[in-house]
Amino acid sequence: MSKISSVKGMNDLLPAELVRWHRLEAAMRDRFDRYGYGELRTPLLEETRLFARSIGDETDIVGKEMYTFPDRKGKKQLSLRPEGTASAVRAYIQHSVHGAEPVTRWWYFGPMYRHERVQAGRYRQFYQVGAEALGSADPSLEAEVISLFDGFLRQDLGLGEVELQVNNLGDSEDRKAYAAALVAHLDGHLEVLCEDCRRRKVENPLRTLDCKVPGCQPVMEAAPRLEDHLGEAARVHFAEVLSLLDALGIAWVRNHRLVRGLDYYNRTCFEFVAGGLGAQNTVCAGGRYDGLVAQLGGPKTPAVGFAAGIERLVSLMSDAAPEDAPELVAVVPVGTEVFPACLRLVEELRREGLRVDFDPRRGSLKSQMRRADKLGARVALVIGEDELAAGRVPAKDLRLEGAEPEELALADLHASLRRWFKERR
Ligand code: HAM
């Protein structure tokens, strides 16, 4: 029979790999808590029209990357969520959150689905952590979400080599005027443009600026700049964002060709880009989206947000174990007679809060010690009938070759073990 594997681009995460994920998740929860962001959990499935209306019909995501199928009764089209902002805004409107609080700060973590070409750092199921701050048009809201993520990267994850790129997308009239100028420029160079750029010129001209195909680069470099088509209000707003970032000591780089693959942005957009990641090097992206809440039927509500790809972040993190991880105790029974008593002891120690391993295979002393070593146990308690009868067990330090085991009383063993660990820290 042929073996069944996971769906292409959708990966299992095994325990050893999740060590870094857990470190990231713990830091993330703690940081959001300090910034006053509450956690939001929304369904993985939404009506397709939610994404069509928010991300945009003409975008790659909605046009060709969503996992879409009819609901069982065939009346509605459903899609696996390709991102989190649309669902957050839907929930914000559905629960009339705007009526209850003037400024809302939410974060979320979970899997997203896009049928993209799979390569290193690009998957069809991937995890995002995202934040959405709704209810203020003030540039300080951009400064806040950028500062939050910047600190998360540099302080919490120790990833200093990531560059923050920013751009001003202006307001929708600005972009319309600019799109016309850009299309006129592209029309003059049609013969050298790649197929994608020719398609995007018609569907979503600003996206051509993002093109990485070498042949298109001279055309894009000579293209008119969005900056030169921006209105006064958008310029003043963006200048204030930059000056707040400066005031917070956050380094940024202006990238005039930074445009986003989702339609809802206006004014500020940004990306955090990592040098060492190859083609899929954006670890986080976001921006302002002042029109989206109203577009989805809610009250006019300005907003800012970002989302970061967890797989990309984790691949940059080192393996260093957190220093305060509790150490592992291996309980090693000698002979099958003591097996039940040892199992009881294991459960007692676990109930008292210790991390304890127990080999269920009833193997030899040698094979049990090999396993303890492999798991990185700090101490082995080797227990035979004599030890049980005497009520004392030898604690062998597995990191100190040749060290004399210390005898610990079986009564109150958890307390003696804690003392044992403390003395060796
Ligand atoms: P996005 O740029 O589509 O924005 O995705 C944000 C991040 O998710 C990317 O920078 C990348 O790190 C990660 N990502 C995206 N696609 C994949 C993939 N196929 N495989 C692995 N990682 C991926 C959004 O999703 C917006 N909702 C961000 C936002 C929130 N804007 C405002 N609020």
Side-chain angles (χ1 to χ4, degrees):
M1 244 206 303
S2 65
K3 271 191 287 177
I4 301 175
S5 302
S6 67
V7 173
K8 185 174 176 197
M10 307 206 181
N11 302 315
D12 297 316
L13 296 163
L14 301 181
E17 198 176 349
L18 283 171
V19 172
R20 281 181 287 174
W21 284 63
H22 290 158
R23 199 148 44 94
L24 180 150
E25 288 173 44
M28 173 188 90
R29 276 175 191 284
D30 181 57
R31 181 161 289 266
F32 279 125
D33 194 43
R34 278 182 283 141
Y35 277 75
Y37 283 65
E39 186 182 354
L40 172 73
R41 296 190 188 182
T42 61
L44 265 58
L45 273 181
E46 297 273 5
E47 281 195 51
T48 304
R49 59 198 178 107
L50 171 67
F51 302 116
R53 257 210 257 163
S54 50
I55 299 169
D57 267 330
E58 307 286 326
T59 58
D60 286 351
I61 297 179
V62 171
K64 54 179 193 187
E65 292 171 0
M66 285 207 299
Y67 287 86
T68 296
F69 47 89
D71 198 1
R72 285 233 170 237
K73 286 191 181 146
K75 288 204 187 108
K76 282 183 176 155
Q77 286 291 111
L78 303 180
S79 295
L80 280 169
R81 63 180 187 195
E83 59 107 50
T85 309
S87 303
V89 171
R90 185 212 24 82
Y92 179 81
I93 299 168
Q94 185 172 337
H95 303 287
S96 303
V97 180
H98 50 90
E101 54 191 35
V103 177
T104 296
R105 292 177 167 96
W106 281 345
W107 70 274
Y108 51 85
F109 174 84
M112 307 292 163
Y113 301 85
R114 298 183 194 174
H115 194 276
E116 293 198 75
R117 213 156 31 78
V118 176
Q119 61 182 89
R122 189 158 73 191
Y123 312 103
R124 292 182 176 170
Q125 175 185 278
F126 57 96
Y127 281 73
Q128 278 187 345
V129 56
E132 313 295 349
L134 304 106
S136 170
D138 196 273
S140 63
L141 210 56
E142 281 102 316
E144 174 180 293
V145 300
I146 290 175
S147 175
L148 188 163
F149 189 77
D150 192 80
F152 178 60
L153 266 183
R154 295 178 216 282
Q155 283 175 0
D156 301 348
L157 305 185
L159 304 178
E161 305 290 296
V162 179
E163 183 177 89
L164 166 63
Q165 300 185 358
V166 292
N167 198 16
N168 187 357
L169 295 176
D171 294 314
S172 64
E173 314 79 62
D174 304 342
R175 278 194 306 281
K176 252 183 238 150
Y178 173 66
L182 180 61
V183 168
H185 170 76
L186 298 173
D187 278 338
H189 300 84
L190 277 185
E191 64 297 343
V192 291
L193 289 184
C194 72
E195 196 144 322
D196 261 354
C197 280
R198 273 189 248 167
R199 181 175 53 80
R200 285 177 170 159
K201 181 186 82 82
V202 181
E203 294 174 355
N204 198 350
L206 265 65
R207 287 288 291 174
T208 57
L209 296 176
D210 227 12
C211 182
K212 306 277 184 314
V213 175
C216 296
Q217 297 313 301
V219 184
M220 299 313 160
E221 270 148 33
R225 284 205 321 194
L226 176 54
E227 171 78 0
D228 301 324
H229 292 76
L230 296 179
E232 182 63 12
R235 271 176 211 276
V236 170
H237 179 94
F238 190 66
E240 181 65 17
V241 172
L242 297 182
S243 94
L244 287 173
L245 291 179
D246 289 341
L248 295 175
I250 295 171
W252 51 268
V253 172
R254 180 77 186 264
N255 175 357
H256 286 280
R257 285 174 57 184
L258 184 66
V259 286
R260 308 276 305 116
L262 307 94
D263 280 355
Y264 47 63
Y265 294 110
N266 68 312
R267 299 196 173 177
T268 316
C269 73
F270 60 88
E271 289 190 0
F272 284 85
V273 181
L277 273 188
Q280 301 306 314
N281 58 0
T282 302
V283 294
C284 173
R288 182 165 274 288
Y289 52 96
D290 292 336
L292 184 57
V293 180
Q295 199 176 312
L296 289 177
K300 203 167 175 298
T301 310
V304 183
F306 67 76
I310 305 294
E311 289 81 357
R312 294 183 193 178
L313 286 174
V314 165
S315 75
L316 293 169
M317 287 166 67
S318 72
D319 265 331
E323 273 165 22
D324 53 357
E327 300 204 81
L328 184 66
V329 180
V331 171
V332 179
V334 187
T336 50
E337 299 78 15
V338 295
F339 200 84
C342 284
L343 185 57
R344 206 172 55 233
L345 183 66
V346 166
E347 286 304 310
E348 267 169 34
L349 293 176
R350 286 175 177 159
R351 245 174 264 153
E352 292 295 340
L354 289 148
R355 275 180 75 220
V356 187
D357 180 65
F358 187 61
D359 188 340
R361 296 169 302 174
R362 302 190 187 227
S364 66
L365 174 63
K366 202 166 152 206
S367 82
Q368 292 188 74
M369 294 305 284
R370 248 201 324 263
R371 173 187 165 94
D373 251 347
K374 202 167 161 213
L375 290 177
R378 175 67 203 268
V379 61
L381 306 176
V382 180
I383 306 174
E385 281 183 320
D386 291 350
E387 284 75 22
L388 282 183
R392 304 188 70 76
V393 297
K396 185 171 161 41
D397 191 335
L398 298 178
R399 299 235 183 104
L400 269 186
E401 193 110 5
E404 207 39 46
E406 184 183 329
E407 298 244 318
L408 303 178
L410 263 176
D412 259 4
L413 184 58
H414 63 94
S416 337
L417 271 171
R418 286 194 201 284
R419 177 189 47 75
W420 188 94
F421 279 129
K422 208 162 158 195
E423 286 169 5
R424 283 157 183 82
R425 205 163 281 154

